[in-house]
């Protein structure tokens, strides 16, 4: 926790303000510092990685019997040691502000676009049931996934747990924040919008023996709308 309180001491103008800010922050994230809380967060990261990249997930979980525990320091300290100091402070502020969480305005806006794209059946009497999003996929999990995916080639070459530990150590003060943030935001929005495409293809893009020209045109236009 010294790593966390040091950020408040650096940014704020007094130890008193730093203390109370730290207390408020810890009341929010204290579960993460317990074994149960950390395991829950790692489990969520594993679920997210499996959805985003099944190949990488299968390889990492095969050689890491504890399933992504090599990422625990990233999630516990908010990636403080992976970025240069000022960038780490900036990322801490972003994560503390609940940037792009599943219950945020941005996420709800994305889900609204899904609802608009939901095609009604039988003249509007029925509508496709979209897959629910997992609201406890916090933005820090997408940041973690972005780092893993950006280093996928290196991770696929790892053969055991020691290789994974060496991999995490090699990233200290080496990562650049802007590209990782861009990748994490891309993953976030792709996750929010991905379910509608799955449903659409399942219900409306099944192979047809005969398709009229108008039906084919409708498919093209709907694909354009959904990708927008």
């Amino acid at each position: 926790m010294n790593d966390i309180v040091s950020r408040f001491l650096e940014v704020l103008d007094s130890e008193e303000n730093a203390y109370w800010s730290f207390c408020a922050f810890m009341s929010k994230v204290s579960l993460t510092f317990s074994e149960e809380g950390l395991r829950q967060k790692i489990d969520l990261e594993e679920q997210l990685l499996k959805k985003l990249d099944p190949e990488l997930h299968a390889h990492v979980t095969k050689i890491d019997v504890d399933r992504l525990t090599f990422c625990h320091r990233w999630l516990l300290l908010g990636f403080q040691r992976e970025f240069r100091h000022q960038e780490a402070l900036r990322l801490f502020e972003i994560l503390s502000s609940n940037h792009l969480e599943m219950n945020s305005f941005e996420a709800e806006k994305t889900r609204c676009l899904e609802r608009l794209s939901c095609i009604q059946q039988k003249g509007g009497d029925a509508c496709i049931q979209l897959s629910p999003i997992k609201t406890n996929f916090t933005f820090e999990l997408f940041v973690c996934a972005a780092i893993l995916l950006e280093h996928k080639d290196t991770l696929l070459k790892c053969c055991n747990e020691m290789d994974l530990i060496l991999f995490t150590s090699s990233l200290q003060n080496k990562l650049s924040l802007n590209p990782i943030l861009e990748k994490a935001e891309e993953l976030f929005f792709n996750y929010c919008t991905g379910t509608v495409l799955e449903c659409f293809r399942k219900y409306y893009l099944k192979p047809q023996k005969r398709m009229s020209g108008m039906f084919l045109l409708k498919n093209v236009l709907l694909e354009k709308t959904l990708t927008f």
Side-chain angles (χ1 to χ4, degrees):
M1 290 185 283
N2 290 335
D3 290 273
I4 295 176
V5 74
S6 65
R7 299 163 177 170
F8 292 104
L9 285 170
E10 179 175 351
V11 174
L12 300 176
D13 56 358
S14 72
E15 290 188 4
E16 181 180 3
N17 290 335
Y19 171 77
W20 289 114
S21 297
F22 173 69
C23 289
F25 178 80
M26 288 304 301
S27 67
K28 176 183 176 183
V29 303
S30 58
L31 180 62
T32 303
F33 284 80
S34 68
E35 181 178 355
E36 177 187 0
L38 184 56
R39 172 50 60 188
Q40 289 177 0
K41 185 164 289 189
I42 291 175
D43 287 344
L44 287 170
E45 184 63 48
E46 182 190 0
Q47 295 172 33
L48 180 60
L49 183 62
K50 184 177 183 179
K51 186 171 184 64
L52 297 176
D53 195 315
E55 178 190 13
L56 181 57
H57 169 268
H59 177 74
V60 171
T61 54
K62 178 181 178 181
I63 62 177
D64 182 9
V65 295
D66 291 325
R67 301 180 308 168
L68 301 184
T69 50
F70 65 96
C71 300
H72 80 279
R73 190 186 72 235
W74 299 354
L75 299 172
L76 189 66
L77 300 180
F79 313 92
Q80 180 171 357
R81 299 176 186 173
E82 281 58 54
F83 297 92
R84 291 182 294 275
H85 181 64
Q86 290 302 319
E87 289 191 337
L89 281 177
R90 179 184 165 207
L91 179 58
F92 179 70
E93 182 177 1
I94 291 172
L95 296 178
S96 301
S97 67
N98 295 326
H99 177 64
L100 292 186
E101 303 300 349
M102 287 298 170
N103 58 354
S104 68
F105 170 78
E106 290 83 0
E108 184 57 31
K109 178 181 178 182
T110 303
R111 294 294 288 177
C112 285
L113 292 176
E114 289 187 73
R115 297 186 187 100
L116 290 174
S117 301
C118 178
I119 306 170
Q120 293 186 340
Q121 304 177 42
K122 300 179 181 180
D125 295 333
C127 184
I128 297 174
Q129 181 64 42
L130 296 177
S131 301
I133 59 175
K134 202 171 185 67
T135 55
N136 48 1
F137 279 167
T138 54
F139 186 64
E140 63 181 348
L141 299 179
F142 287 91
V143 173
C144 184
I147 296 173
L148 295 176
L149 293 176
E150 286 294 299
H151 295 84
K152 178 177 178 178
D153 292 342
T154 300
L155 286 168
L156 289 178
K157 295 177 182 177
C158 293
C159 300
N160 51 51
E161 293 180 61
M162 183 55 65
D163 288 342
L164 294 176
I165 294 174
L166 292 174
F167 162 74
T168 56
S169 298
S170 70
L171 297 184
Q172 292 191 34
N173 297 316
K174 297 293 180 61
L175 296 180
S176 180
L177 182 57
N178 284 342
I180 295 297
L181 278 179
E182 291 176 3
K183 180 67 174 178
E185 290 176 355
E186 178 186 355
L187 294 174
F188 173 87
F189 285 114
N190 286 345
Y191 173 76
C192 288
T193 59
T195 54
V196 67
L197 288 176
E198 295 173 3
C199 293
F200 175 73
R201 293 191 176 103
K202 177 180 178 181
Y203 286 94
Y204 289 95
L205 293 183
K206 295 179 180 179
Q208 303 288 331
K209 292 183 178 180
R210 299 181 63 181
M211 290 186 181
S212 66
M214 183 59 68
F215 184 81
L216 290 171
L217 178 60
K218 180 181 179 182
N219 281 348
V220 172
L221 292 175
L222 288 172
E223 280 280 10
K224 293 291 186 181
T225 301
L226 289 173
T227 54
F228 174 77

